[in-house]
Amino acid sequence: WDMETQGFRPDRPFVKCARVTGDTMARFHPHGDGAIYDALVRMAQPFSLRHPLISFHGNYGSPDFGPAASRYTECRLHPLAMQLLADIDEDTVDMIPNYDGSTEQPEVLPARFPNLLVNGSQGIAVGMATNIPPHNLGEVIDATVHLLEHPDADVDALMEHVKGPDFPTGAQIRGRAGIIDAYRTGRGSVKMRAKASIEEKGGGYEIVVTELPYQTSCSSIAGRIQELVDNGDLEGIRDVNDGSAGGKTSLVISLKRDANANVVLNNLFKMTQLQTSFSINMVALVKGVPRTLNLKTALEGYVDHQIEVLTRRTKFRLQKAREREHIVEGLIKALNMIDEIIATIRASDDRPDARTRLMAEPFEFSQVQAEYILDMPLGRLTRLARIELDQELEDLHNRITELESILADDALLRGVIRDEMLAIKEEFATPRVCEITFDDGEMSIEDLVDDKEL
């Protein structure tokens, strides 16, 4: 909201992050700037958010290292963030005073796509835990559209569209049991496993890891493997190299000649963060009250919000169109009797007197129309201007009819929400990066021990 009010939009130049954090601290969040900058950076990190909301210049860090200081880095809003703020100036959400009453801030954003599910969330505030994983934008929008068209759809019907979380770091989700639990009840645990392949090299084998589970770091995994080898808890490993760079993961584990690569890999999954689980706990504030939501209730809350946003926006636009229609009708009436009006204005003592005469017989303009006529430049008296006014009045009549029909018909309103969300999907959705695979069950002791004749 602060970046929107300062005008740091996608079509403007980048600005120093220190300007954003400082202004946010001064106007909306009178606490430490560390938390503000951390939040700003997280919204730019492609490994934290499935669809980043901030475009960034500079070092936003990695799972291993923090970002550069705010005086070095630059930012502006990402085009997708503009969809969170879309129509905010059309009375779509309630505005509340900021902490010192010097300005206003929105109580909630119009959010024209379900960002809570798309980018996930962790923690609300004092004593409230929440852990919502990121999802694929296209899948979530498809499910929301399905719910708009079939309000009585159950969770299983929505899961036809939302296959599961879509973690930005890729890797694999093993099995669907945890996903089904989370979407039906709001709580569940998802097993994540790194993407690793066994490759032959120079007569021996090596394990190459290219994608890691969400919120794990390559260097800490490499350190943990080294520790296990040094303590004698893990055998068959000769060397570990972390070659990750430029946002690409590359962890190469070289094996001894006599090691069984599959057994070593299974042991790595068991003992290190190459396999972890993500505990889903879908708690969100619904009208200010924390509630555990399943997939359907989460999307229902979002649909209710969108219906309110669209209704308020349509009413606002209708009011504006009616006000303009009133003025245009006055201008057309004035052009029909322009000579008398000019004579009246010239005979008046001052502006208030002229306005009073225009509002009296024989003109009977309203005060708004009279003011507008007095402000009208001479250039509006041409024949072309008259044709333009007739055309504008016709357009306004059509617009008013269209807006009134949207407000009168719930199905039309839902259709507008659907079309606008599908346009966002068309522009911003990307294919899944996180693969959901079959879970081969718990590893037994046989998977962790090499087969040899005894």
Side-chain angles (χ1 to χ4, degrees):
W1 169 243
D2 185 80
M3 290 174 79
E4 162 73 14
T5 52
Q6 290 202 77
F8 303 148
R9 301 189 190 102
D11 52 351
R12 309 278 174 84
F14 284 89
V15 295
K16 288 285 183 195
C17 290
R19 272 183 74 180
V20 177
T21 50
D23 196 71
T24 304
M25 184 164 58
R27 294 201 295 164
F28 304 113
H29 188 80
H31 308 285
D33 59 346
I36 302 170
Y37 184 53
D38 285 349
L40 175 73
V41 167
R42 187 174 181 275
M43 287 195 286
Q45 292 173 333
F47 52 84
S48 292
L49 265 63
R50 179 62 183 82
H51 291 271
L53 301 170
I54 302 285
S55 299
F56 210 77
H57 262 175
N59 176 9
Y60 50 57
S62 73
D64 301 316
F65 303 104
S70 62
R71 61 183 179 274
Y72 300 120
T73 55
E74 299 182 336
C75 64
R76 67 182 177 200
L77 289 169
H78 187 278
L80 185 60
M82 300 309 290
Q83 299 298 333
L84 282 181
L85 295 158
D87 315 318
I88 199 164
D89 53 352
E90 295 187 270
D91 189 38
T92 46
V93 291
D94 292 332
M95 302 300 279
I96 53 175
N98 70 337
Y99 69 94
D100 64 354
S102 61
T103 180
E104 288 189 318
Q105 63 192 56
E107 194 168 24
V108 61
L109 293 180
R112 305 314 312 283
F113 68 95
N115 185 57
L116 183 68
L117 283 175
V118 170
N119 280 321
S121 179
Q122 285 176 311
I124 298 176
V126 190
M128 291 302 336
T130 183
N131 210 20
I132 301 175
H135 288 80
N136 184 280
L137 178 68
E139 290 182 4
V140 174
I141 286 180
D142 285 342
T144 312
V145 168
H146 184 79
L147 190 62
L148 275 166
E149 293 170 346
H150 309 91
D152 52 354
D154 60 3
V155 172
D156 292 359
L158 297 174
M159 284 171 59
E160 294 288 316
H161 301 283
V162 182
K163 304 284 187 259
D166 189 18
F167 297 108
T169 49
Q172 295 176 336
I173 294 174
R174 308 288 289 188
R176 298 201 45 135
I179 297 173
I180 292 168
D181 281 348
Y183 288 168
R184 284 182 182 161
T185 67
R187 291 168 187 265
S189 181
V190 174
K191 192 192 287 184
M192 301 181 292
R193 181 181 276 192
K195 227 176 224 180
S197 58
I198 297 167
E199 297 177 6
E200 199 170 343
K201 187 164 185 192
Y205 287 94
E206 58 186 26
I207 296 169
V208 181
V209 180
T210 50
E211 290 177 12
L212 291 176
Y214 188 50
Q215 292 176 325
T216 58
S217 114
C218 208
S219 63
S220 67
I221 291 174
R224 172 72 179 148
I225 294 172
Q226 194 67 56
E227 189 184 314
L228 289 168
V229 172
D230 292 345
N231 293 345
D233 296 330
L234 194 53
E235 293 177 351
I237 293 179
R238 187 164 51 80
D239 193 16
V240 181
N241 283 305
D242 177 8
S244 307
K248 292 268 186 289
T249 302
S250 173
L251 183 65
V252 180
I253 301 153
S254 307
L255 305 182
K256 293 177 180 171
R257 298 235 163 189
D258 56 348
N260 181 329
N262 284 312
V263 170
V264 173
L265 186 55
N266 285 339
N267 274 304
L268 286 169
F269 287 141
K270 190 172 173 65
M271 297 179 181
T272 71
Q273 282 193 307
L274 288 180
Q275 180 171 303
T276 64
S277 59
F278 186 97
S279 296
I280 299 175
N281 181 20
M282 301 213 337
V283 175
L285 297 176
V286 181
K287 297 191 166 80
V289 181
R291 279 179 48 198
T292 300
L293 305 173
N294 64 18
L295 182 61
K296 182 177 181 185
T297 49
L299 288 176
E300 276 176 341
Y302 176 73
V303 167
D304 292 344
H305 174 57
Q306 282 311 293
I307 288 172
E308 185 191 346
V309 164
L310 252 288
T311 305
R312 289 176 64 158
R313 184 184 81 178
T314 310
K315 284 179 179 170
F316 178 87
R317 289 181 177 178
L318 185 59
Q319 173 71 19
K320 288 286 179 204
R322 283 179 176 152
E323 287 169 7
R324 180 64 189 164
E325 179 191 42
H326 181 63
I327 286 168
V328 173
E329 283 172 346
L331 289 176
I332 289 173
K333 181 176 158 188
L335 286 177
N336 291 336
M337 41 171 51
I338 193 67
D339 296 332
E340 298 92 312
I341 287 175
I342 290 172
T344 304
I345 293 171
R346 290 185 67 180
S348 304
D349 296 336
D350 53 14
R351 188 181 172 113
D353 182 35
R355 185 175 63 226
T356 308
R357 291 188 186 204
L358 289 175
M359 290 165 68
E361 296 268 340
F363 306 115
E364 293 181 341
F365 290 111
S366 71
Q367 184 174 345
V368 176
Q369 289 173 330
E371 284 285 359
Y372 217 87
I373 290 162
L374 291 172
D375 290 337
M376 187 167 69
L378 292 173
R380 292 308 293 267
L381 304 182
T382 61
R383 273 204 306 275
L384 187 62
R386 172 63 196 264
I387 296 167
E388 283 174 3
L389 285 172
D390 286 340
Q391 181 60 50
E392 185 181 354
L393 189 62
E394 188 186 331
D395 293 344
L396 283 166
H397 285 327
N398 294 339
R399 181 124 180 83
I400 287 167
T401 309
E402 181 193 342
L403 292 169
E404 283 173 340
S405 62
I406 289 172
L407 286 174
D409 186 350
D410 184 58
L412 269 180
L413 184 76
R414 285 170 177 264
V416 173
I417 298 173
R418 186 196 66 216
D419 295 344
E420 293 187 3
M421 287 186 73
L422 289 174
I424 293 173
K425 176 189 167 186
E426 182 70 29
E427 187 174 352
F428 296 105
T430 52
R432 278 193 80 88
V433 294
C434 184
E435 185 187 350
I436 299 176
T437 61
F438 177 72
D439 188 14
D440 41 23
E442 285 297 313
M443 278 186 247
S444 65
I445 191 77
E446 284 88 352
D447 298 320
L448 305 172
V449 178
D450 195 2
D451 293 332
K452 51 184 164 201
E453 294 285 331
L454 292 174

